[in-house]
Amino acid sequence: MTLGTVAMIGSVQSCKMKTAESAVQGDAASKVYVAPGKYDEFYNFVSGGFSGQVSVYGLPSGRLLKVIPVFSVFPENGYGYSEESKAMLTTTAGQIPWDDQHHLDLSQTNGEQDGRWLFANANNTPRVARIDLTTFKTVEIIQIPNSGGNHSSPFITENTEYVVAGTRFSVPLGDGDVPISSFKENFKSTASFISVDKATGHMNIAFQIVLPGMNLDLSHAGKGPSHDWFFFSCYNTEQAYTLLEVNASQKDKDFIVAVNWKKAEEYAKSGKGHKVPAEYAHNTYDEDKQTATSVIEKEVLLLDPKDCPDMIYMIPCPKSPHGCDIDPSGEYIVGSGKLAALIPVFSFTKLMAAIQAKKFEGDFYGLPIVKYEEALHGEVNKPGLGPLHTEFDGKGNAYTSMFLSSEVVKWRISDLQVLDRVPTYYSVGHLMVPGGDTKKPSGKYLVAYNKITKDRYLPTGPELAQSAQLYDISGDKMQLILDYPTIGEPHYAQACPAALIKDKQVKFFDINKNHHEFVAMGEKKTNVVRKGTRVDVYMTAIRSHLTPDNIEGVYVGDDVYFHVTNLEQDWDIPHGFAIKNNPDAELLIMPGETVTLKFSPKHEGMYPFYCTDFCSALHQEMSGYLRVSPKGSNVPLKFSTGVVADTTAKK
């Protein structure tokens, strides 16, 4: 057993012996208490991991406020099931109704959060999503070609000029069939720079930089003096392709990849790149038409470093680095080697001087390697075991998660001295300080996202709840004040002051601006129309009835499209819609929206439909019937609401 293993076991055991009572001080409850009717101070956006979604919590309460569907179908509101939203999950591999969502980034202006958009990555089928923070809706998803996995993503430049996505798994570019054993010759990684329109947020892949075959892990943009640069951690520079836990951990150092994105942008504009065929889906939601569309793009612009000198440099970094974090000043670059017993901190000023003086120690596939000591500000010695991620408080301090020794360590950037350490429960991964990756962090709270829970909550079988722990970092010493379970497997998170976005919320959609193709602008505009075997139902919902609520003349084998318009113009009055035996989900229609549910009956019979979202005292009465007759029947198409048949009439 190695010394490191002994230390790890000892640390974990010591965590188990600490009780919540011994770790949490008596004033913790008052620090997290948010009285009934009061708002939390921060929105906390948390990656959903294998759920494919984004969850929203209030801080400091830890209350779950919302789950935002992004990369996975979501039966609660019909995302991915409604006809309007299906296109959001389109890829070149067809409909992909799930993903592994790891990282988030809030849009910035001048290095500060601006509360406009939240970007989310899909790690499995490489994609980047944009979420509108006035509606908390996913409004755009762009697929990333030439990528085998989208982990180092979706980190942004200081003014949200670009969202950047780095390849996790190197793959051969194009469609060539090559042996896996040809990794060194044929496998490549890429860094994709996705431009963001300043006014609309609309994304486009501006260019991709081709890099040697390796695993890009995490990244962050520079700021201030390092504004023009982007930094990626990488591992497997051994270029192994089997048993990576051994074969990709051979070298004492891997690299931080320093990319001058301003130069890359100039090279792209001056024609240094070359366009190559690359199909990828670009999905957008049109708020005006309330419908998503998917376009298959056909090419991308590739930049090869050999054609673009002075664009990329490699900084040696021990060992198998994971996190790559930039302090608020933009001067210091922190690498976190998963297998290192120290934390290297690099100086941007020294890096530039070393590049200027050409203080290199060879190259990696033609990319100059800067001498380690020439770029180094210094090393944090004996910080703990398994450093992963670092966040900053804006007061000159950094906080690093220690996965193996299960703790958060506070250290000072200027002299690299460890100032404090607190245990986590257990195996902490990412950290989050509100604004911790910006020029102006809020140095009040830190949240640790833990990979293992053990005895923190009531047991729930073999799998336990995922864990988050909230620390007060406003004083000299960190104080644990709350822990709470989370959904999915949280990785990275972002938080911003609630005041930044809470007053910008859309409360309802102006129905007069609803240009949906099948909108019914009032009950008198409802209709049922047959075209062959397609039946379109123009339906309205308002407290407390659906119009029409009786429909006949539909046959087995028809495709029935219920286009439901919510006529309400009041905040928080959505209406739901579901029909018996429908294999898709329900709908949840916001005030002023039109949303469509497709129903293809397989058997004749009577099918009740109803509102699924409690909306009034007569919510139960908000229902109706669809009569489905045998195929070939001569039952005429008819519909009504409020019409009572005369049962005394002669037949």
Side-chain angles (χ1 to χ4, degrees):
M1 185 177 293
T2 66
L3 180 61
T5 304
V6 172
M8 176 188 71
I9 294 172
S11 175
V12 172
Q13 287 175 338
S14 68
C15 284
K16 287 185 178 180
M17 290 186 289
K18 277 187 176 290
T19 63
E21 289 75 19
S22 67
V24 179
Q25 297 177 18
D27 63 344
S30 64
K31 290 188 174 185
V32 301
Y33 179 67
V34 178
K38 299 295 183 182
Y39 292 141
D40 277 284
E41 186 178 355
F42 293 91
Y43 284 100
N44 184 25
F45 301 93
V46 183
S47 66
F50 41 67
S51 78
Q53 318 294 30
V54 171
S55 54
V56 187
Y57 296 83
L59 291 180
S61 72
R63 299 181 296 198
L64 177 63
L65 304 176
K66 187 178 181 66
V67 175
I68 304 173
V70 185
F71 297 111
S72 297
V73 293
F74 196 56
E76 181 178 313
N77 66 6
Y79 179 83
Y81 293 105
S82 72
E83 295 304 297
E84 289 77 6
S85 64
K86 285 179 179 178
M88 293 302 291
L89 301 179
T90 297
T91 75
T92 52
Q95 294 293 112
I96 305 290
W98 76 279
D99 218 295
D100 186 17
Q101 199 280 298
H102 277 222
H103 305 121
L104 303 165
D105 220 351
L106 287 162
S107 58
Q108 297 179 23
T109 301
N110 297 323
E112 298 179 38
Q113 295 169 336
D114 59 26
R116 303 179 73 190
W117 307 300
L118 176 70
F119 299 94
N121 79 321
N123 185 37
N124 183 272
T125 301
R127 290 173 281 180
V128 168
R130 179 171 59 89
I131 298 164
D132 185 333
L133 292 181
T134 66
T135 60
F136 280 52
K137 280 189 173 184
T138 302
V139 294
E140 187 172 13
I141 295 178
I142 192 166
Q143 188 179 356
I144 311 297
N146 298 318
S147 174
N150 180 38
H151 189 258
S152 185
S153 167
F155 301 103
I156 63 170
T157 52
E158 197 172 10
N159 285 296
T160 320
E161 298 97 337
Y162 294 100
V163 176
V164 183
T167 303
R168 178 180 179 183
F169 306 111
S170 296
V171 292
L173 301 187
D175 299 322
D177 177 25
V178 300
I180 298 173
S181 59
S182 68
F183 187 105
K184 291 185 178 182
E185 294 77 26
N186 292 315
F187 286 55
K188 303 293 181 183
S189 57
T190 57
S192 302
F193 284 74
I194 304 166
S195 63
V196 181
D197 185 273
K198 292 182 183 295
T200 65
H202 189 76
M203 300 187 293
N204 282 297
I205 298 179
F207 54 87
Q208 294 183 308
I209 298 174
V210 180
L211 295 168
M214 56 187 173
N215 295 55
L216 297 176
D217 202 355
L218 280 166
S219 56
H220 271 101
K223 52 181 75 77
S226 56
H227 169 83
D228 295 354
W229 291 76
F230 215 95
F231 303 90
F232 299 82
S233 64
C234 70
Y235 64 100
N236 192 26
T237 54
E238 296 87 349
Q239 298 186 310
Y241 51 85
T242 183
L243 202 61
L244 263 62
E245 65 174 313
V246 174
N247 295 323
S249 304
Q250 299 294 311
K251 292 183 179 180
D252 182 54
K253 291 183 177 69
D254 286 290
F255 299 109
I256 299 292
V257 185
V259 177
N260 188 326
W261 64 263
K262 271 289 189 181
K263 282 198 172 181
E265 184 180 63
E266 291 168 6
Y267 283 131
K269 291 178 179 178
S270 65
K272 290 292 185 180
H274 58 283
K275 292 183 178 180
V276 299
E279 291 195 347
Y280 57 98
H282 190 175
N283 311 327
T284 54
Y285 182 80
D286 185 329
E287 203 71 73
D288 185 51
K289 297 180 180 179
Q290 300 185 356
T291 301
T293 56
S294 181
V295 175
I296 301 299
E297 308 285 0
K298 298 294 186 179
E299 63 182 14
V300 291
L301 181 68
L302 292 185
L303 295 179
D304 191 324
K306 73 177 187 296
D307 301 323
C308 306
D310 303 325
M311 184 174 69
I312 300 175
Y313 297 89
M314 310 294 273
I315 311 169
C317 184
K319 178 174 186 186
S320 296
H322 186 53
C324 180
D325 302 288
I326 317 300
D327 88 308
S329 73
E331 170 62 19
Y332 299 107
I333 305 145
V334 181
S336 297
K338 301 188 293 289
L339 304 178
L342 53 81
I343 302 172
V345 183
F346 302 99
S347 161
F348 180 73
T349 300
K350 294 181 71 174
L351 172 64
M352 292 297 99
I355 292 172
Q356 182 70 26
K358 298 188 182 303
K359 293 183 177 179
F360 304 136
E361 55 180 43
D363 67 87
F364 183 71
Y365 285 86
L367 303 175
I369 301 173
V370 177
K371 289 183 178 179
Y372 178 70
E373 294 77 10
E374 295 296 332
L376 190 68
H377 167 59
E379 297 171 342
V380 182
N381 290 306
K382 298 181 180 179
L385 295 174
L388 290 187
H389 301 282
T390 300
E391 291 274 286
F392 307 92
D393 63 8
K395 296 179 281 190
N397 303 312
Y399 302 78
T400 301
S401 57
M402 299 291 168
F403 182 78
L404 295 180
S405 52
S406 296
E407 58 186 334
V408 175
V409 174
K410 176 182 178 180
W411 50 276
R412 191 164 43 229
I413 300 170
S414 59
D415 61 8
L416 309 176
Q417 295 301 303
V418 172
L419 304 175
D420 191 23
R421 61 180 71 238
V422 291
T424 59
Y425 306 87
Y426 304 74
S427 299
V428 59
H430 276 286
L431 300 176
M432 188 284 299
V433 172
D437 65 339
T438 71
K439 281 184 176 179
K440 291 188 177 180
S442 169
K444 188 171 184 178
Y445 299 119
L446 177 148
V447 183
Y449 294 96
N450 305 331
K451 299 301 182 187
I452 304 171
T453 303
K454 297 297 185 189
D455 51 12
R456 299 305 289 170
Y457 312 115
L458 287 172
T460 53
E463 184 190 18
L464 302 177
Q466 302 292 330
S467 173
Q469 294 188 285
L470 177 67
Y471 295 85
D472 181 344
I473 60 171
S474 59
D476 292 336
K477 297 294 183 181
M478 294 178 280
Q479 180 191 358
L480 175 62
I481 55 176
L482 180 70
D483 61 358
Y484 56 95
T486 60
I487 65 167
E489 183 199 2
H491 291 262
Y492 195 39
Q494 292 265 282
C496 67
L500 187 64
I501 59 177
K502 74 178 181 66
D503 295 330
K504 301 176 182 178
Q505 297 306 295
V506 171
K507 295 184 176 180
F508 55 85
F509 296 98
D510 185 347
I511 197 166
N512 296 305
K513 297 178 180 178
N514 182 337
H515 296 121
H516 191 287
E517 181 182 1
F518 294 99
V519 63
M521 297 292 285
E523 294 184 1
K524 292 183 179 180
K525 298 294 185 179
T526 58
N527 199 3
V528 180
V529 178
R530 174 183 288 280
K531 292 182 179 179
T533 59
R534 174 179 174 128
V535 178
D536 288 292
V537 179
Y538 295 72
M539 180 177 282
T540 60
I542 195 168
R543 287 167 287 183
S544 297
H545 61 275
L546 298 164
T547 302
D549 63 6
N550 284 284
I551 303 170
E552 299 182 67
V554 170
Y555 308 136
V556 172
D558 284 344
D559 291 323
V560 185
Y561 292 84
F562 290 93
H563 312 287
V564 186
T565 299
N566 183 345
L567 298 178
E568 308 282 357
Q569 293 286 269
D570 194 6
W571 193 17
D572 197 31
I573 307 294
H575 287 298
F577 181 82
I579 187 166
K580 178 187 174 184
N581 290 354
N582 193 42
D584 288 345
E586 65 165 354
L587 300 179
L588 193 61
I589 310 108
M590 297 300 113
E593 273 191 328
T594 301
V595 187
T596 302
L597 185 70
K598 180 182 179 182
F599 176 56
S600 302
K602 306 297 183 187
H603 306 283
E604 63 186 87
M606 196 64 64
Y607 292 84
F609 53 80
Y610 60 100
C611 174
T612 55
D613 192 80
F614 193 93
C615 55
S616 72
L618 297 176
H619 164 72
Q620 291 290 89
E621 285 76 10
M622 195 170 175
S623 61
Y625 291 100
L626 171 71
R627 175 188 172 188
V628 176
S629 300
K631 188 174 183 179
S633 300
N634 59 359
V635 177
L637 184 67
K638 62 180 181 178
F639 60 96
S640 64
T641 295
V643 177
V644 179
D646 182 3
T647 58
T648 63
K650 293 182 179 179
K651 293 183 179 179

